Amino acid sequence: MKTVHFISGIILAAFVALHLINHLAVLASPEAHIALMNSLRVVYRNLVVEAILLVAVLIQIITGVGLVRSKGFKQASWEKWQVGSGLYLAFFFVMHVSAVMVGRFVLKLDTNLYFGAAGLNAFPANLFFVPYYGLAVLSLFTHIASIHAQKSKHAAAHQQAQIIVGLGLLTAALILVGMTHFFGGLAIPKTYQF
């Protein structure tokens, strides 16, 4: 189960890295974000790659929850962070992928920057969506940091893992700043407004 979880995690990590870079592009401008997204969609919005990503998400959730059930919560510090961040990521994947699929196939919306940012820019929805997205980014980096801290034989692995978590905080903050009209001047089109 660990091997399958690891392989599906690598597949998702490649996509998520591109996805986060895409979100960071909003700091340049909403147009830069959408232009990069349209370029990346050529790769990940084809039937084969999208099917692989959806299967990887499903495998990641099933194997991750299975590993938590087999290990429990009686691990060392970094293992607890790995379990906690993994459980949040499982929750996020279910919610996020479901929302994107409903947006695309039921609401017939382009699930672009504005689809993702709509909840971040509407009160009181933003009281949910700001921590929801922020914790997703932080959980991803924490999960990676936890694995690094446990697997690395290097004496500085603990400090390096802390730096990875810090980069997660910075990345989450930059994305949230870029995707909110409070700081970045992002205007949400009427089609996406709550």
Side-chain angles (χ1 to χ4, degrees), residues 108-131:
K108 306 292 186 197
L109 291 171
D110 182 2
T111 53
N112 60 20
L113 165 66
Y114 301 111
F115 180 81
L120 292 169
N121 291 285
F123 181 82
N126 57 1
L127 297 176
F128 170 78
F129 283 107
V130 168

Side-chain angles (χ1 to χ4, degrees), residues 3-92:
T3 303
V4 174
H5 188 75
F6 179 77
I7 292 168
S8 65
I10 294 295
I11 292 167
L12 284 178
F15 168 75
V16 171
L18 293 173
H19 197 63
L20 293 179
I21 290 166
N22 191 176
H23 283 324
L24 288 168
V26 76
L27 295 169
S29 71
E31 295 77 20
H33 181 289
I34 290 174
L36 180 55
M37 178 196 68
N38 288 333
S39 297
L40 293 172
R41 278 183 174 177
V42 172
V43 176
Y44 69 77
R45 276 263 179 112
N46 74 65
L47 191 60
V48 174
V49 175
E50 194 164 40
I52 290 169
L53 288 171
L54 289 172
V55 169
V57 167
L58 187 61
I59 289 170
Q60 191 73 180
I61 292 167
I62 292 168
T63 58
V65 171
L67 287 167
V68 169
R69 290 182 70 200
S70 68
K71 289 175 89 174
F73 282 97
K74 296 177 181 163
Q75 302 92 12
S77 178
W78 279 112
E79 288 173 316
K80 286 182 182 174
W81 284 108
Q82 182 182 6
V83 168
S85 61
L87 288 173
Y88 186 81
L89 287 170
F91 160 77
F92 181 80

Side-chain angles (χ1 to χ4, degrees), residues 139-159:
S139 291
L140 174 71
F141 279 79
T142 301
H143 205 66
I144 292 166
S146 301
I147 294 164
H148 175 72
Q150 294 171 73
K151 302 287 183 197
S152 178
K153 307 289 186 219
H154 194 274
H158 178 74
Q159 290 79 15

